[in-house]
Amino acid sequence: MDATEKKTSVRQVLDDVYEEINWAYLAKNYFGRTRSWLYHKFSGNCGGAPADFSDVDRERLRAALKDIAARVDAAADRL
């Protein structure tokens, strides 16, 4: 990606499911952080300073969402 291209924000990507996810649980159990930390990452702003997901954090978030999705799918199959 060249310098003029902007990554799609994580918040924009997750817009369709944002309200359905317990972000406090995800922040604590997958990042060892607070919901507030995750909120600042989504907003792109932390105390006036730019805040964004690093590539490592994006990958960790992707893996966390896939793990949760697999667990929900497995629970649905048990019904």
Side-chain angles (χ1 to χ4, degrees):
M1 169 172 23
D2 71 35
T4 60
E5 291 182 64
K6 181 172 170 41
K7 271 191 208 177
T8 302
S9 78
V10 171
R11 178 64 176 90
Q12 288 171 315
V13 171
L14 297 174
D15 189 53
D16 187 45
V17 297
Y18 187 80
E19 296 298 321
E20 283 81 22
I21 297 170
N22 182 331
W23 295 110
Y25 173 88
L26 190 142
K28 178 182 175 190
N29 291 287
Y30 291 91
F31 287 92
R33 302 287 193 137
T34 63
R35 162 66 170 89
S36 178
W37 174 85
L38 195 55
Y39 171 79
H40 289 302
K41 293 291 187 176
F42 284 135
S43 73
N45 186 339
C46 184
D52 195 7
F53 285 86
S54 67
D55 290 341
V56 170
D57 285 340
R58 277 182 177 242
E59 178 57 29
R60 182 175 286 165
L61 180 58
R62 187 191 72 74
L65 291 170
K66 288 204 167 264
D67 181 55
I68 292 168
R71 292 172 36 220
V72 168
D73 190 50
D77 287 345
R78 290 190 302 270
L79 292 176

